[in-house]
Amino acid sequence: MLTRMLKLRLLNAVAPAYFFTATVVTFILHFGFFVPTIFPDTSHAWGSTAVHSVVFLFLMFNALGNYMMTILYTAASGNETAVPVCSPHCSDKVDAHYLLNGRHFCKLCKKVIFKRDHHCFFTGNCIGNKNMRYFIMFCIYTSCTCLYSLVLGVAFLTVEYSISFDNPLTFLSLLPLSTGYFFMGTISGLQFFLVLMLYVWLGIGLVCAGFCCQQVLLVARGQTWCQMQRGQLVENRNPWRSNLKDVFGTNWALGLILPVHTVEMCSGEALKED
């Protein structure tokens, strides 16, 4: 168990570094390679360059903004400082210990979490009732940023290297062919790196989109991922709209376009925190 905990702590430190590295690389590729190549510096392309730059910055701003909000508005219960001891026969996962009243003690965060859903290694903290809304929006905008970068990356390869993607099999065979060409010295390291980033964006975009759909479904049902793992089917009599409002807040429309605080602490949680 000690070895597994060390691996989780290492992942908890590496994952955020990976996220910020991928963000910086995406930003550099967009403004250093994609935009100047796809939209040459001419009077006719200035409008297209501005539009694509604004769209990319909007997506990136919301992804990073909601990422920071997820960390800033921690899911920890502020008035609970006692550290419970996990028994040797604890049936929970190694990273958490179940408490009463919908609370968990996270061994990685070393905090008591109210309505804990899961521990996100990319943010380095737990996702619960207080920051679920920001986490979902982070997943949405990260997925949109990655898929948008994927489209621009394909357009860049088409313009710069005359690669045609009319055949759907071209994209599927691009990575294995590029790997062989790279080791044979036919293509440069930059070309190979761009191809790798296409698959990175595709993978992250699809994973974030799927994970977002799962979280929205759980929120609408009034459940958490921890409860699903424990096999608990919670009978939630609240309508799905009430459950979504509890997570997204009353100003949910503003939160869709800006990473701002829109979640009010529900009365039940406030009583438990007193």
Side-chain angles (χ1 to χ4, degrees):
M1 180 176 291
L2 179 61
T3 303
R4 185 178 178 185
M5 180 59 66
L6 290 176
K7 292 180 180 178
L8 291 177
R9 292 190 182 281
L10 179 62
L11 181 61
N12 204 44
V14 172
Y18 169 80
F19 170 76
F20 280 110
T21 301
T23 300
V24 172
V25 169
T26 301
F27 190 88
I28 293 175
L29 289 177
H30 181 88
F31 289 103
F33 294 90
F34 295 167
V35 171
T37 302
I38 301 174
F39 310 104
D41 189 13
T42 62
S43 59
H44 299 286
W46 185 89
S48 299
T49 302
V51 170
H52 284 276
S53 297
V54 169
V55 171
F56 176 80
L57 290 175
F58 172 77
L59 297 176
M60 183 74 74
F61 171 76
N62 275 277
L64 291 176
N66 283 287
Y67 178 86
M68 298 306 298
M69 295 290 278
T70 303
I71 300 175
L72 179 62
Y73 289 93
T74 175
S77 296
N79 294 339
E80 296 193 37
T81 57
V83 178
V85 179
C86 182
S87 66
H89 306 289
C90 179
S91 60
D92 272 14
K93 297 292 184 180
V94 70
D95 64 329
H97 177 71
Y98 177 70
L99 306 177
L100 297 177
N101 301 323
R103 285 165 162 75
H104 285 78
F105 174 74
C106 179
K107 301 174 187 177
L108 294 175
C109 297
K110 296 187 181 299
K111 296 177 181 178
V112 177
I113 310 299
F114 178 68
K115 289 186 179 180
R116 181 181 187 269
D117 188 87
H118 68 282
H119 183 91
C120 176
F121 292 99
F122 285 99
T123 61
N125 66 346
C126 278
I127 306 301
N129 192 58
K130 293 181 181 179
N131 57 2
M132 175 61 73
R133 165 256 185 275
Y134 310 110
F135 176 75
I136 291 177
M137 297 308 301
F138 161 68
C139 290
I140 291 176
Y141 278 104
T142 299
S143 177
C144 291
T145 302
C146 289
L147 296 180
Y148 185 73
S149 299
L150 172 64
V151 173
L152 290 182
V154 169
F156 173 80
L157 292 179
T158 302
V159 174
E160 183 70 10
Y161 302 109
S162 301
I163 300 177
S164 176
F165 289 89
D166 294 337
N167 189 344
L169 295 178
T170 302
F171 185 84
L172 298 178
S173 60
L174 186 61
L175 181 59
L177 290 177
S178 298
T179 303
Y181 291 150
F182 172 73
F183 285 105
M184 289 189 299
T186 306
I187 63 175
S188 64
L190 176 60
Q191 292 174 282
F192 183 60
F193 179 74
L194 288 174
V195 173
L196 286 178
M197 287 304 299
L198 293 183
Y199 287 88
V200 170
W201 288 325
L202 177 63
I204 296 178
L206 293 180
V207 169
C208 286
F211 199 62
C212 174
C213 294
Q214 171 189 277
Q215 294 302 121
V216 172
L217 179 61
L218 288 175
V219 169
R221 295 172 59 181
Q223 291 187 313
T224 64
W225 180 246
C226 279
Q227 292 171 339
M228 295 291 290
Q229 285 185 317
R230 292 173 58 86
Q232 294 179 340
L233 297 179
V234 180
E235 182 181 355
N236 192 293
R237 299 182 179 180
N238 295 329
W240 62 270
R241 292 186 178 181
S242 177
N243 293 330
L244 290 177
K245 183 179 179 180
D246 182 46
V247 170
F248 286 88
T250 54
N251 299 323
W252 59 268
L254 180 62
L256 293 178
I257 58 175
L258 289 175
V260 294
H261 182 53
T262 61
V263 182
E264 303 82 7
M265 183 181 295
C266 62
S267 59
E269 181 182 348
L271 291 175
K272 292 179 181 180
E273 296 259 347
D274 292 339

